[in-house]
Amino acid sequence: MDSERSYTVAHLPGDGIGPEVTAVARDLVDQAGRKHGFTVGWSDCPLGSGYYLRTGEVLPGEILADLRKADAVLLGAVGSPGVPPGVLERGLLLRLRFELDLYVNLRPARLRPGVASPYGGSGLNAVVIRENTEGLYAGAGGIVHKGKAFETATEESLNTRAGVERCVRYAAALAARRSGRLTLVHKTNVLVNAGSLWMRVAEEVAAETGVQLDYAHVDAACLYLVSDPARFDVIVTDNLFGDILTDLAAALTGGLGLSASGNLNPDKSGPSIFEPVHGSAPDIAGTGQANPAGAVLSASLMLDHLGETMAAADLDSAVDTVLAEGGATSTGAWAAALSAELSRAR
Ligand code: IPM
Ligand code: MN
């Protein structure tokens, strides 16, 4: 007899609306688990603004060690007006991406039935694979002559062959399971060094795997996402381009409230982190207005990554159904509608 499957998931709700939206996602994961025969042991992770302001620490070693033991992390959002910019972004979010080697940032961009997209986006059904540990995010650079007239600030984009290749390979494998088309987005006409490396690696991987490789400069890709979104299926791109493109893709597919992401360690040598693309939205925290769909869809990506593909598909289609019926107007109404849909669906 099969013993029941069980997973340890660290719940890192964070700040602002993070706790509100991840509570909904967590309940739905438990509900899907009861239906599909698995259990999740949740461990609570207190990190975020409150923890930093109380202790002066952003990511203590013991907590990082605990996170490493989890099968996955479900993260809400971090950031609050009381913490200077960069402290939690670099010290927590990026540090986790680097420490856990989460080199793929998976961001689906699909205009779901019933969602009105005021900006276009009709026919958009793509996945953006954003390199997540290198590029301009790597932290190379500095400031010299601070405060002087010629104070100089540099940020260097780091691109390693191995780092680019592992990301492109993930994207090519995904493309092979979908349409067979992969679009590299870069800026090879100006960033001739990094662009050359990305292009050569993408060509090599495409030749080896048989996927059809297209290319678009990042500025043109922004235009096409709006004017001709159907040309994209799987997009692979560097860290900063991916950050920007995925906010645009979110606007085209119903807004940040519906956008999900997975920070993946595809080799599964440690946990991956799943989080809605939106931030902590302190302006609406506590008002019950936050849309939990982005967190729920992130939990769906998490279940898929853990191998619970049927539960993952259930959560995804519950969001589709609720959206097709006009969506919901509060966090609580979303939770009730999604839960009802999950128990109804077979
Ligand atoms: C995102 C966010 C982060 C990023 C910030 C908060 C560090 O914008 O996940 O897209 O730039 O990656
Ligand atoms: Mn972003």
Side-chain angles (χ1 to χ4, degrees):
M1 203 174 74
D2 276 359
S3 61
E4 195 177 69
R5 302 172 315 275
S6 93
Y7 307 96
T8 307
V9 177
H11 179 203
L12 199 172
D15 306 315
I17 62 170
E20 302 164 36
V21 296
T22 53
V24 176
R26 181 172 158 161
D27 286 348
L28 290 166
V29 167
D30 287 338
Q31 190 181 340
R34 288 191 293 277
K35 179 172 165 190
H36 290 284
F38 64 86
T39 54
V40 172
W42 298 93
S43 63
D44 292 314
C45 181
L47 299 176
S49 299
Y51 189 89
Y52 169 68
L53 293 171
R54 263 193 329 275
T55 66
E57 287 200 89
V58 176
L59 178 54
E62 319 85 71
I63 296 189
L64 176 58
D66 281 345
L67 288 175
R68 280 187 202 283
K69 291 186 212 137
D71 294 310
V73 180
L74 182 65
L75 192 153
V78 296
S80 75
V83 179
V87 172
L88 296 168
E89 290 85 346
R90 286 217 79 88
L92 183 54
L93 297 177
L94 298 192
R95 180 139 180 256
L96 284 173
R97 291 175 189 177
F98 298 158
E99 292 278 358
L100 301 174
D101 208 14
L102 308 177
Y103 63 87
V104 161
N105 195 323
L106 168 78
R107 295 187 165 181
R110 175 163 74 90
L111 185 63
R112 292 168 185 265
V115 178
S117 176
Y119 315 110
S122 156
L124 182 53
N125 181 3
V127 180
V128 179
I129 299 301
R130 161 186 176 189
E131 200 292 318
N132 213 31
T133 55
E134 301 194 339
L136 282 161
Y137 278 67
I143 291 187
V144 292
H145 308 309
K146 193 161 190 174
K148 308 270 170 45
F150 287 93
E151 174 171 349
T152 304
T154 58
E155 308 281 354
E156 285 179 77
S157 174
L158 304 192
N159 301 263
T160 68
R161 174 173 271 275
V164 172
E165 184 175 332
R166 64 186 184 170
C167 176
V168 172
R169 279 193 187 282
Y170 180 90
L174 179 64
R177 294 198 300 277
R178 289 172 53 106
S179 66
R181 285 184 300 122
L182 175 65
T183 305
L184 170 64
V185 170
H186 209 281
K187 186 73 185 177
T188 55
N189 53 346
V190 174
L191 308 182
V192 292
N193 304 310
S196 162
L197 178 61
W198 274 86
M199 182 59 90
R200 282 180 286 120
V201 168
E203 283 170 351
E204 287 162 21
V205 171
E208 195 187 302
T209 58
V211 301
Q212 180 199 319
L213 181 65
D214 300 329
Y215 172 79
H217 292 319
V218 63
D219 48 351
C222 291
L223 182 105
Y224 296 142
L225 270 174
V226 177
S227 66
D228 184 18
R231 74 160 59 206
F232 297 113
D233 185 45
V234 178
I235 291 174
V236 66
T237 191
D238 95 338
N239 208 337
L240 184 62
F241 295 150
D243 179 47
I244 297 167
L245 279 181
T246 52
D247 265 30
L248 173 58
L252 295 172
T253 52
L256 282 173
L258 297 179
S259 297
S261 81
N263 298 271
L264 307 184
N265 171 333
D267 318 322
K268 303 198 176 167
S269 60
S272 297
I273 300 183
F274 299 84
E275 55 170 328
V277 179
H278 64 69
S280 59
D283 51 326
I284 60 160
T287 66
Q289 293 174 65
N291 182 344
V296 172
L297 292 171
S298 301
S300 166
L301 295 177
M302 176 179 88
L303 291 173
D304 195 65
H305 185 76
L306 291 172
E308 296 295 341
T309 50
M310 293 200 300
D314 265 11
L315 287 195
D316 191 272
S317 60
V319 172
D320 264 356
T321 306
V322 173
L323 284 170
E325 288 165 357
T329 49
S330 69
T331 315
W334 268 105
L338 289 169
S339 173
E341 185 49 34
L342 202 58
S343 26
R344 207 190 54 78
R346 306 196 39 84

